[in-house]
Amino acid sequence: YKRVEDNVIAVATSLVLLLLFLGTNWTTIFLGIEERYQGAAPADVLGFGKLNAIVDTMIGLGVFALVVFLIGAVVAARRVAKVPTVRLVSTKQPPELSIGTGLTWHL
């Protein structure tokens, strides 16, 4: 990515996705132990007795990712609004520029 902010958002969302993936795996393992071994406690294997902590963490990570995206959207919208543009005085619209044959750029 060309901008540092894009790299930060990409890394942050990758980490959130990784943590959500791990939480989903721990939830699946926990439920599998409960289902397969009726007398065994999943806390003996995984170290936690209930799924509430993992599910709450996963919900928090989802909310965190949403907040990061919303902040990024607001910052991007504000940045685009501050970019100066060339507009016609009469219509306040951008001018329509035609390009000559064989040319690639307006110079």
Side-chain angles (χ1 to χ4, degrees):
Y1 299 110
K2 293 182 179 180
R3 293 185 296 211
V4 175
E5 300 87 21
D6 293 340
N7 287 329
V8 170
I9 290 176
V11 169
T13 53
S14 293
L15 289 174
V16 167
L17 285 174
L18 174 67
L19 293 174
L20 285 173
F21 179 73
L22 289 174
T24 304
N25 283 335
W26 289 336
T27 303
T28 303
I29 291 169
F30 186 92
L31 294 173
I33 291 171
E34 272 188 341
E35 183 180 320
R36 185 169 181 133
Y37 305 106
Q38 299 295 330
D44 296 339
V45 177
L46 297 175
F48 51 89
K50 294 185 178 182
L51 287 177
N52 292 345
I54 291 183
V55 172
D56 292 343
T57 304
M58 290 172 65
I59 291 171
L61 286 170
V63 169
F64 172 74
L66 180 63
V67 168
V68 167
F69 280 126
L70 287 175
I71 290 172
V74 168
V75 168
R78 291 183 63 153
R79 180 181 296 133
V80 168
K82 290 181 180 179
V83 173
T85 57
V86 176
R87 298 196 176 265
L88 298 174
V89 175
S90 59
T91 62
K92 297 194 179 186
Q93 296 295 321
E96 293 183 23
L97 301 174
S98 59
I99 193 163
T101 308
L103 295 177
T104 306
W105 307 100
H106 287 284
L107 297 176

